[in-house]
Amino acid sequence: SSDVCSSDLAPVARQTAGSGLAAGAVLQGLAEELQRRWNPNCEVEGGRDVVVRVTFQLGVGGQVVGDVQSQIQGARTPVSQAGAERAVRAVYAAAPFRGLPREFYGDRVAVNFNAREACAR
């Protein structure tokens, strides 16, 4: 949905150019941390093709508020469903997200998990 994409960019858009770059780096670091915690099943057929987008809301102090939503990109198979569940667990395992600028509190964050990249590590 396009509203997820636009809210994904809202924290950066609200900032001046200088701090917007810093905000982008913060979000990139958060996404990299989640990718490290995600454990896709690279060994099964179709495991490397899993792409999942998760969205969640950040509360004060960097905790997750409400549920983490996952959306499988492409075919919904047992392998992609397992990958989506693992992506959601990665978000909960990484929370609370420390060191985030206060302006992120209350924002929805979207992160893409790509098994092809994760399995190449």
Side-chain angles (χ1 to χ4, degrees), residues 4 7 13-14 16 19 22 33 36 40-41 44 52-53 56 59 64 74 77 82 107-108 121:
V4 170
S7 64
R14 277 203 308 264
T16 63
S19 62
E33 167 70 14
R36 276 193 299 276
N41 194 340
V44 300
V52 178
R53 181 180 181 88
F56 55 95
V64 174
T77 65
D107 281 330
R108 286 200 70 74
R121 279 191 248 116

Side-chain angles (χ1 to χ4, degrees), residues 1 3-5 7-8 52-58 64-71 88 91-92 107-113:
S1 63
D3 58 35
V4 170
C5 197
S7 64
D8 187 10
V52 178
R53 181 180 181 88
V54 296
T55 57
F56 55 95
Q57 185 170 356
L58 291 172
V64 174
V65 176
D67 291 333
V68 177
Q69 305 293 318
S70 66
Q71 183 178 12
V88 168
V91 173
Y92 285 121
D107 281 330
R108 286 200 70 74
V109 176
V111 177
N112 291 317
F113 290 81

